[in-house]
Amino acid sequence: MRLCVTANERVAIVALGEGYLLDHPRYDPCPRSYADAASRVALPESTVRKRIENVRRKLVKAGVVQ
């Protein structure tokens, strides 16, 4: 099964996990809060949360996570 993540979902994923993508010494191994991620991409917190929940559902359906 192929996992299809939309561009909008990718934006939410990157905003949430941006610290993981930074080079040392700015690397931050902790995800942002939904509120921080939402302000970073100028979206409501509920929108970011829903997009991440959609990705989680897709991952569960694909058998990647439980």
Side-chain angles (χ1 to χ4, degrees), residues 40-58:
R40 181 79 170 118
V41 294
L43 291 170
E45 181 180 344
S46 61
T47 300
V48 172
R49 186 178 302 270
K50 286 177 187 175
R51 289 178 183 174
I52 295 298
E53 288 171 358
N54 286 339
V55 172
R56 284 187 179 134
R57 273 192 228 97
K58 290 177 182 182

Side-chain angles (χ1 to χ4, degrees), residues 11-48:
V11 167
I13 292 167
V14 171
L16 200 64
E18 183 178 21
Y20 293 102
L21 304 173
L22 299 173
D23 289 331
H24 182 74
R26 293 174 41 219
Y27 171 78
D28 183 8
C30 298
R32 293 179 182 254
S33 68
Y34 285 114
D36 287 344
S39 68
R40 181 79 170 118
V41 294
L43 291 170
E45 181 180 344
S46 61
T47 300
V48 172

